Amino acid sequence: ERRTFIPQGWSKFHEFSFADLRSTADIVSSFDADRPPWVTLHGLLDNAIYGGRIDNVFDQRILRTYLRQVFSPACVSIGGRGAAQCLPNTP
């Protein structure tokens, strides 16, 4: 029943998995927390982790926008204090 609804913003349902999330966590944790290489991080997540499942140019743009918004200095901070500014409707 959940699959009858397309997630908001995407043109179709994409099979992102827990393994993708785990790989992302491994990549993020391997970088220097004080000065992460944002362009490299976005490229790895876009091309190696999540982008391989996306076959639509519009969805690729959405993915890149989400990556730039979530994986940015405004959102990622030591202790997670930046997340409240980046994701305002989350607890």
Side-chain angles (χ1 to χ4, degrees):
E1 183 178 314
R2 289 184 307 160
R3 293 189 182 209
T4 60
F5 301 100
I6 297 172
Q8 287 187 347
W10 302 97
S11 66
K12 66 179 187 178
F13 182 82
H14 294 285
E15 289 282 341
F16 299 130
S17 67
F18 182 76
D20 297 326
L21 179 62
R22 185 71 196 136
S23 296
T24 299
D26 290 343
I27 289 172
V28 170
S29 66
S30 70
F31 289 126
D32 180 16
D34 295 328
R35 295 179 48 108
W38 296 112
V39 174
T40 303
L41 180 61
H42 294 159
L44 284 170
L45 298 179
D46 178 17
N47 296 312
I49 305 296
Y50 296 105
R53 290 189 171 81
I54 296 176
D55 58 358
N56 181 313
V57 176
F58 180 75
D59 284 354
Q60 191 71 41
R61 288 178 55 199
I62 291 172
L63 174 65
R64 289 180 180 149
T65 300
Y66 283 153
L67 291 175
R68 282 192 310 267
Q69 185 176 10
V70 174
F71 294 96
S72 69
C75 280
V76 178
S77 64
I78 296 173
R81 291 181 293 277
Q85 296 171 353
C86 181
L87 307 169
N89 294 329
T90 58

